Amino acid sequence: MNLSATSAPHSSNETPAACGGPGGSTPRPPAGQSTAIAPAQTSFPASSPGAAASHSPAQTSSPASSPGAAASHSPAQTSFPLASTAIVPTQRAARYGKQLVSHMAHKITGFWDEDAGSGYLLFDREGPVLGRFDVIASPSDLRLELRATPERAAHLEHVAGIHLARFGARDGLTIAWRRSDGSAGSTQGPLTPDEVEAHARERAKRKAAGQ
């Protein structure tokens, strides 16, 4: 074999030939055709600044613990067909309102605004919101506003009203509900301190029995 005919290894320092043939010239397009090249569309990855407009949601919901969470549960956004209202005369409206909301918020969603003297409860213990309860304190009374479906109105009136009646037993608080559909609302209270004490004993007994 003639080893002298073997090609020498290609050197990485060689400059590659220019595209377009000898002389590096670019072929001209046929007459009448434009030589402009449309720029390619640039796609942004999700993390790039340009992706914000196409990938970010139009609205950002606030978590329940943030200050903006209260607005997400405003009455205008929580719609129920029936409204039931009770106005309870008392000189200690803010105290009772806060006590009621704080107590019930151990089991359902609740919020109390100390400065505004108002708050709300969402009956969501079973998951879906079955009703909304707004509490508004004034110097002369405590206003309770319940929104629910007609079939749940009586039960939710009782749940909220009986708690307040127990808290205000010494002041003889009476919670009388009036419904927007004209049907008869329920009434809780007044309760005597002895009745409240009897309820507490019965509750302790059930708890001890594991009920």
Side-chain angles (χ1 to χ4, degrees), residues 1 4 11-12 17 21 34 51 54 74 79 81 88 95 103 120 122 124 129 148 151-153 170 188 190 205 209:
M1 179 182 292
S4 62
S11 173
S12 60
S34 172
S54 59
S74 63
S79 178
V88 185
R95 172 188 169 182
H103 177 79
Y120 67 83
L122 299 179
D124 57 359
V129 178
E151 58 270 20
R152 296 185 183 275
R170 294 190 181 278
Q188 295 79 42
K205 186 185 300 183

Side-chain angles (χ1 to χ4, degrees), residues 7-187:
S7 300
H10 177 73
S11 173
S12 60
N13 294 327
E14 292 182 2
T15 304
C19 298
S25 60
T26 303
R28 296 179 178 274
Q33 294 186 7
S34 172
T35 59
I37 300 176
Q41 294 182 353
T42 303
S43 60
F44 295 97
S47 58
S48 67
S54 59
H55 294 283
S56 61
Q59 296 180 350
T60 303
S61 59
S62 303
S65 58
S66 68
S72 66
H73 298 298
S74 63
Q77 294 178 340
T78 307
S79 178
F80 294 97
L82 183 142
S84 186
T85 305
I87 299 176
V88 185
T90 175
Q91 300 299 315
R92 296 190 285 184
R95 172 188 169 182
Y96 284 129
K98 180 179 179 180
Q99 184 179 10
L100 177 62
V101 171
S102 299
H103 177 79
M104 295 187 67
H106 288 298
K107 295 184 178 180
I108 60 177
T109 300
F111 174 80
W112 179 259
D113 188 327
E114 192 77 35
D115 295 331
S118 63
Y120 67 83
L121 291 162
L122 299 179
F123 292 96
D124 57 359
R125 187 175 181 178
E126 300 174 4
V129 178
L130 304 179
R132 178 188 171 97
F133 180 59
D134 287 275
V135 186
I136 305 100
S138 74
S140 60
D141 60 53
L142 185 63
R143 182 181 180 89
L144 313 177
E145 297 179 355
L146 172 67
R147 290 173 176 81
T149 57
E151 58 270 20
R152 296 185 183 275
H155 173 67
L156 297 183
E157 286 172 355
H158 178 79
V159 170
I162 199 63
H163 278 84
L164 182 57
R166 291 184 187 125
F167 295 148
R170 294 190 181 278
D171 289 339
L173 297 188
T174 301
I175 299 86
W177 298 92
R178 298 184 64 180
R179 300 178 187 171
S180 59
D181 64 354
S183 62
S186 61
T187 300

Side-chain angles (χ1 to χ4, degrees), residues 162 165-167 169-170 191-206:
I162 199 63
R166 291 184 187 125
F167 295 148
R170 294 190 181 278
L191 300 177
T192 66
D194 289 342
E195 288 175 315
V196 175
E197 184 63 28
H199 170 77
R201 288 195 301 267
E202 183 62 27
R203 182 181 179 186
K205 186 185 300 183
R206 291 198 304 267

